[in-house]
């Protein structure tokens, strides 16, 4: 295992041509909580997220960033056809919060994203995810990066494929009950030597 995985890494900020991916601040909590109450944003999740759970998520993101040097970063749009914003949502790297029912390498890290609908369709999730994957492989030294979502979430699956991830089957989310619409998930994975989109 790469010895870079055995120590804490300084928190980072990632830059892309249009975006800034940065650590979380307390002033992001209101925007994040509002986004987690948006039915379009949460369409493929179990339900809307209450404020306490949303704030707990921010606490988790901050804690992981402090200990690992990466997280799902806040996405700031610096310029685009639709203007700019200091909070478009998040994109980045995160250990899953459940025990995975599939084979994986350690450390287990997923790349994920969640954006306000007004920033959909501009390639922002793809741009931010590419930067996150590049950081995970080239700086952190991760042995693989996974991503997963409900089977019906075709926009997120398209992002996974655009950045070069490979479809690797389906699984039942361990927190879902039989009959839950979000139980069945697709799994994608990527290794450092895979071609990047």
């Amino acid at each position: 295992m790469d010895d870079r995985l055995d120590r804490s890494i300084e928190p980072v900020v990632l830059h892309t041509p249009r975006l800034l991916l940065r650590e979380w601040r307390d002033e992001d909590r209101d925007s994040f909580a509002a986004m987690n109450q948006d039915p379009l944003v949460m369409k493929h999740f179990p339900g809307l997220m209450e404020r306490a759970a949303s704030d707990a998520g921010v606490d988790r993101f901050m804690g992981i960033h402090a200990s690992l040097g990466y997280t799902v970063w806040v996405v700031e749009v610096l310029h685009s056809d639709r203007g700019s914003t200091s909070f478009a949502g998040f994109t980045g790297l995160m250990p899953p919060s459940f025990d995975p029912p599939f084979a994986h390498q350690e450390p287990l890290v997923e790349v994920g994203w969640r954006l306000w609908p007004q920033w959909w369709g501009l390639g922002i999730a793809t741009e931010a995810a590419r930067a996150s994957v590049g950081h995970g492989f080239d700086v952190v030294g991760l042995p693989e990066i996974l991503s997963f979502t409900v089977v019906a979430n075709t926009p997120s699956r398209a992002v996974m494929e655009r950045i070069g991830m490979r479809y690797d089957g389906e699984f039942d989310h361990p927190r879902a009950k039989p009959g839950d619409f979000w139980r069945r998930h697709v799994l994608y994975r990527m290794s450092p030597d895979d071609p990047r989109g």
Side-chain angles (χ1 to χ4, degrees), residues 173-188:
H173 197 293
R175 290 186 178 165
K177 299 175 182 176
D180 284 343
F181 78 89
W182 57 278
R183 186 182 192 200
R184 199 67 178 161
H185 274 55
V186 289
L187 175 66
Y188 284 74

PDB file of all heavy atoms in Angstrom, residues 173-188:
ATOM      1  N   HIS A 173     -28.705  -1.809  -1.790  1.00  0.00           N
ATOM      2  CA  HIS A 173     -28.171  -0.950  -0.732  1.00  0.00           C
ATOM      3  C   HIS A 173     -28.522  -1.560   0.619  1.00  0.00           C
ATOM      4  O   HIS A 173     -29.689  -1.875   0.886  1.00  0.00           O
ATOM      5  CB  HIS A 173     -28.741   0.456  -0.849  1.00  0.00           C
ATOM      6  CG  HIS A 173     -27.978   1.485  -0.082  1.00  0.00           C
ATOM      7  ND1 HIS A 173     -27.928   1.504   1.296  1.00  0.00           N
ATOM      8  CD2 HIS A 173     -27.195   2.518  -0.497  1.00  0.00           C
ATOM      9  CE1 HIS A 173     -27.186   2.527   1.694  1.00  0.00           C
ATOM     10  NE2 HIS A 173     -26.725   3.139   0.625  1.00  0.00           N
ATOM     11  N   PRO A 174     -27.540  -1.738   1.505  1.00  0.00           N
ATOM     12  CA  PRO A 174     -27.814  -2.430   2.764  1.00  0.00           C
ATOM     13  C   PRO A 174     -28.745  -1.689   3.710  1.00  0.00           C
ATOM     14  O   PRO A 174     -29.287  -2.305   4.628  1.00  0.00           O
ATOM     15  CB  PRO A 174     -26.416  -2.604   3.380  1.00  0.00           C
ATOM     16  CG  PRO A 174     -25.562  -1.588   2.718  1.00  0.00           C
ATOM     17  CD  PRO A 174     -26.106  -1.414   1.340  1.00  0.00           C
ATOM     18  N   ARG A 175     -28.971  -0.407   3.477  1.00  0.00           N
ATOM     19  CA  ARG A 175     -29.881   0.340   4.360  1.00  0.00           C
ATOM     20  C   ARG A 175     -31.314   0.364   3.834  1.00  0.00           C
ATOM     21  O   ARG A 175     -32.208   0.859   4.523  1.00  0.00           O
ATOM     22  CB  ARG A 175     -29.372   1.761   4.544  1.00  0.00           C
ATOM     23  CG  ARG A 175     -28.105   1.830   5.383  1.00  0.00           C
ATOM     24  CD  ARG A 175     -27.708   3.253   5.671  1.00  0.00           C
ATOM     25  NE  ARG A 175     -26.530   3.307   6.519  1.00  0.00           N
ATOM     26  CZ  ARG A 175     -25.788   4.381   6.698  1.00  0.00           C
ATOM     27  NH1 ARG A 175     -26.111   5.504   6.074  1.00  0.00           N
ATOM     28  NH2 ARG A 175     -24.741   4.359   7.485  1.00  0.00           N
ATOM     29  N   ALA A 176     -31.519  -0.133   2.636  1.00  0.00           N
ATOM     30  CA  ALA A 176     -32.859  -0.112   2.045  1.00  0.00           C
ATOM     31  C   ALA A 176     -33.626  -1.377   2.417  1.00  0.00           C
ATOM     32  O   ALA A 176     -33.045  -2.444   2.617  1.00  0.00           O
ATOM     33  CB  ALA A 176     -32.756   0.013   0.533  1.00  0.00           C
ATOM     34  N   LYS A 177     -34.925  -1.233   2.488  1.00  0.00           N
ATOM     35  CA  LYS A 177     -35.800  -2.370   2.759  1.00  0.00           C
ATOM     36  C   LYS A 177     -36.341  -2.920   1.439  1.00  0.00           C
ATOM     37  O   LYS A 177     -36.403  -2.193   0.443  1.00  0.00           O
ATOM     38  CB  LYS A 177     -36.968  -1.934   3.645  1.00  0.00           C
ATOM     39  CG  LYS A 177     -36.542  -1.399   5.003  1.00  0.00           C
ATOM     40  CD  LYS A 177     -37.745  -0.876   5.762  1.00  0.00           C
ATOM     41  CE  LYS A 177     -37.336  -0.288   7.105  1.00  0.00           C
ATOM     42  NZ  LYS A 177     -38.499   0.322   7.820  1.00  0.00           N
ATOM     43  N   PRO A 178     -36.738  -4.193   1.428  1.00  0.00           N
ATOM     44  CA  PRO A 178     -37.364  -4.734   0.217  1.00  0.00           C
ATOM     45  C   PRO A 178     -38.553  -3.862  -0.199  1.00  0.00           C
ATOM     46  O   PRO A 178     -39.381  -3.475   0.625  1.00  0.00           O
ATOM     47  CB  PRO A 178     -37.820  -6.135   0.644  1.00  0.00           C
ATOM     48  CG  PRO A 178     -36.872  -6.501   1.752  1.00  0.00           C
ATOM     49  CD  PRO A 178     -36.609  -5.208   2.491  1.00  0.00           C
ATOM     50  N   GLY A 179     -38.592  -3.515  -1.453  1.00  0.00           N
ATOM     51  CA  GLY A 179     -39.670  -2.672  -1.954  1.00  0.00           C
ATOM     52  C   GLY A 179     -39.326  -1.201  -2.019  1.00  0.00           C
ATOM     53  O   GLY A 179     -40.037  -0.434  -2.688  1.00  0.00           O
ATOM     54  N   ASP A 180     -38.269  -0.756  -1.339  1.00  0.00           N
ATOM     55  CA  ASP A 180     -37.858   0.648  -1.436  1.00  0.00           C
ATOM     56  C   ASP A 180     -37.393   0.942  -2.857  1.00  0.00           C
ATOM     57  O   ASP A 180     -36.610   0.174  -3.431  1.00  0.00           O
ATOM     58  CB  ASP A 180     -36.706   0.954  -0.467  1.00  0.00           C
ATOM     59  CG  ASP A 180     -37.170   1.080   0.976  1.00  0.00           C
ATOM     60  OD1 ASP A 180     -38.388   1.249   1.197  1.00  0.00           O
ATOM     61  OD2 ASP A 180     -36.307   1.021   1.879  1.00  0.00           O
ATOM     62  N   PHE A 181     -37.856   2.057  -3.424  1.00  0.00           N
ATOM     63  CA  PHE A 181     -37.519   2.375  -4.812  1.00  0.00           C
ATOM     64  C   PHE A 181     -36.015   2.565  -5.000  1.00  0.00           C
ATOM     65  O   PHE A 181     -35.495   2.404  -6.102  1.00  0.00           O
ATOM     66  CB  PHE A 181     -38.268   3.636  -5.265  1.00  0.00           C
ATOM     67  CG  PHE A 181     -37.659   4.925  -4.759  1.00  0.00           C
ATOM     68  CD1 PHE A 181     -36.681   5.580  -5.489  1.00  0.00           C
ATOM     69  CD2 PHE A 181     -38.051   5.465  -3.534  1.00  0.00           C
ATOM     70  CE1 PHE A 181     -36.116   6.758  -5.029  1.00  0.00           C
ATOM     71  CE2 PHE A 181     -37.496   6.639  -3.067  1.00  0.00           C
ATOM     72  CZ  PHE A 181     -36.521   7.289  -3.820  1.00  0.00           C
ATOM     73  N   TRP A 182     -35.315   2.921  -3.932  1.00  0.00           N
ATOM     74  CA  TRP A 182     -33.885   3.236  -4.047  1.00  0.00           C
ATOM     75  C   TRP A 182     -32.995   2.058  -3.643  1.00  0.00           C
ATOM     76  O   TRP A 182     -31.774   2.200  -3.550  1.00  0.00           O
ATOM     77  CB  TRP A 182     -33.550   4.452  -3.181  1.00  0.00           C
ATOM     78  CG  TRP A 182     -33.910   4.288  -1.729  1.00  0.00           C
ATOM     79  CD1 TRP A 182     -35.138   4.480  -1.167  1.00  0.00           C
ATOM     80  CD2 TRP A 182     -33.026   3.915  -0.674  1.00  0.00           C
ATOM     81  NE1 TRP A 182     -35.092   4.237   0.182  1.00  0.00           N
ATOM     82  CE2 TRP A 182     -33.803   3.889   0.513  1.00  0.00           C
ATOM     83  CE3 TRP A 182     -31.672   3.596  -0.604  1.00  0.00           C
ATOM     84  CZ2 TRP A 182     -33.254   3.563   1.754  1.00  0.00           C
ATOM     85  CZ3 TRP A 182     -31.123   3.271   0.631  1.00  0.00           C
ATOM     86  CH2 TRP A 182     -31.923   3.259   1.787  1.00  0.00           C
ATOM     87  N   ARG A 183     -33.579   0.888  -3.474  1.00  0.00           N
ATOM     88  CA  ARG A 183     -32.786  -0.244  -2.986  1.00  0.00           C
ATOM     89  C   ARG A 183     -31.727  -0.707  -3.991  1.00  0.00           C
ATOM     90  O   ARG A 183     -30.577  -0.938  -3.641  1.00  0.00           O
ATOM     91  CB  ARG A 183     -33.709  -1.412  -2.640  1.00  0.00           C
ATOM     92  CG  ARG A 183     -32.957  -2.570  -1.982  1.00  0.00           C
ATOM     93  CD  ARG A 183     -33.878  -3.736  -1.695  1.00  0.00           C
ATOM     94  NE  ARG A 183     -33.224  -4.710  -0.820  1.00  0.00           N
ATOM     95  CZ  ARG A 183     -33.607  -5.973  -0.694  1.00  0.00           C
ATOM     96  NH1 ARG A 183     -34.657  -6.412  -1.379  1.00  0.00           N
ATOM     97  NH2 ARG A 183     -32.973  -6.787   0.112  1.00  0.00           N
ATOM     98  N   ARG A 184     -32.111  -0.843  -5.260  1.00  0.00           N
ATOM     99  CA  ARG A 184     -31.195  -1.391  -6.261  1.00  0.00           C
ATOM    100  C   ARG A 184     -30.268  -0.297  -6.782  1.00  0.00           C
ATOM    101  O   ARG A 184     -30.720   0.755  -7.233  1.00  0.00           O
ATOM    102  CB  ARG A 184     -31.977  -2.014  -7.407  1.00  0.00           C
ATOM    103  CG  ARG A 184     -31.175  -2.984  -8.255  1.00  0.00           C
ATOM    104  CD  ARG A 184     -30.813  -4.220  -7.478  1.00  0.00           C
ATOM    105  NE  ARG A 184     -30.083  -5.192  -8.319  1.00  0.00           N
ATOM    106  CZ  ARG A 184     -29.354  -6.170  -7.817  1.00  0.00           C
ATOM    107  NH1 ARG A 184     -29.256  -6.313  -6.503  1.00  0.00           N
ATOM    108  NH2 ARG A 184     -28.731  -7.008  -8.620  1.00  0.00           N
ATOM    109  N   HIS A 185     -28.966  -0.556  -6.680  1.00  0.00           N
ATOM    110  CA  HIS A 185     -27.949   0.409  -7.099  1.00  0.00           C
ATOM    111  C   HIS A 185     -27.069  -0.191  -8.194  1.00  0.00           C
ATOM    112  O   HIS A 185     -26.882  -1.403  -8.262  1.00  0.00           O
ATOM    113  CB  HIS A 185     -27.044   0.785  -5.919  1.00  0.00           C
ATOM    114  CG  HIS A 185     -27.583   1.894  -5.074  1.00  0.00           C
ATOM    115  ND1 HIS A 185     -28.818   1.859  -4.494  1.00  0.00           N
ATOM    116  CD2 HIS A 185     -27.024   3.081  -4.701  1.00  0.00           C
ATOM    117  CE1 HIS A 185     -29.010   2.973  -3.791  1.00  0.00           C
ATOM    118  NE2 HIS A 185     -27.933   3.736  -3.910  1.00  0.00           N
ATOM    119  N   VAL A 186     -26.517   0.697  -9.023  1.00  0.00           N
ATOM    120  CA  VAL A 186     -25.467   0.310  -9.958  1.00  0.00           C
ATOM    121  C   VAL A 186     -24.130   0.709  -9.353  1.00  0.00           C
ATOM    122  O   VAL A 186     -24.025   1.703  -8.631  1.00  0.00           O
ATOM    123  CB  VAL A 186     -25.639   0.969 -11.336  1.00  0.00           C
ATOM    124  CG1 VAL A 186     -26.823   0.361 -12.066  1.00  0.00           C
ATOM    125  CG2 VAL A 186     -25.778   2.473 -11.222  1.00  0.00           C
ATOM    126  N   LEU A 187     -23.108  -0.080  -9.667  1.00  0.00           N
ATOM    127  CA  LEU A 187     -21.753   0.147  -9.159  1.00  0.00           C
ATOM    128  C   LEU A 187     -20.825   0.416 -10.331  1.00  0.00           C
ATOM    129  O   LEU A 187     -20.837  -0.302 -11.330  1.00  0.00           O
ATOM    130  CB  LEU A 187     -21.278  -1.082  -8.389  1.00  0.00           C
ATOM    131  CG  LEU A 187     -19.828  -1.067  -7.883  1.00  0.00           C
ATOM    132  CD1 LEU A 187     -19.634   0.005  -6.826  1.00  0.00           C
ATOM    133  CD2 LEU A 187     -19.450  -2.445  -7.334  1.00  0.00           C
ATOM    134  N   TYR A 188     -20.029   1.473 -10.197  1.00  0.00           N
ATOM    135  CA  TYR A 188     -18.984   1.795 -11.170  1.00  0.00           C
ATOM    136  C   TYR A 188     -17.659   1.868 -10.421  1.00  0.00           C
ATOM    137  O   TYR A 188     -17.620   2.233  -9.243  1.00  0.00           O
ATOM    138  CB  TYR A 188     -19.261   3.138 -11.852  1.00  0.00           C
ATOM    139  CG  TYR A 188     -20.349   3.089 -12.902  1.00  0.00           C
ATOM    140  CD1 TYR A 188     -21.687   2.980 -12.539  1.00  0.00           C
ATOM    141  CD2 TYR A 188     -20.034   3.162 -14.254  1.00  0.00           C
ATOM    142  CE1 TYR A 188     -22.689   2.942 -13.504  1.00  0.00           C
ATOM    143  CE2 TYR A 188     -21.029   3.121 -15.233  1.00  0.00           C
ATOM    144  CZ  TYR A 188     -22.351   3.018 -14.844  1.00  0.00           C
ATOM    145  OH  TYR A 188     -23.342   2.978 -15.803  1.00  0.00           O
TER     146      TYR A 188
END
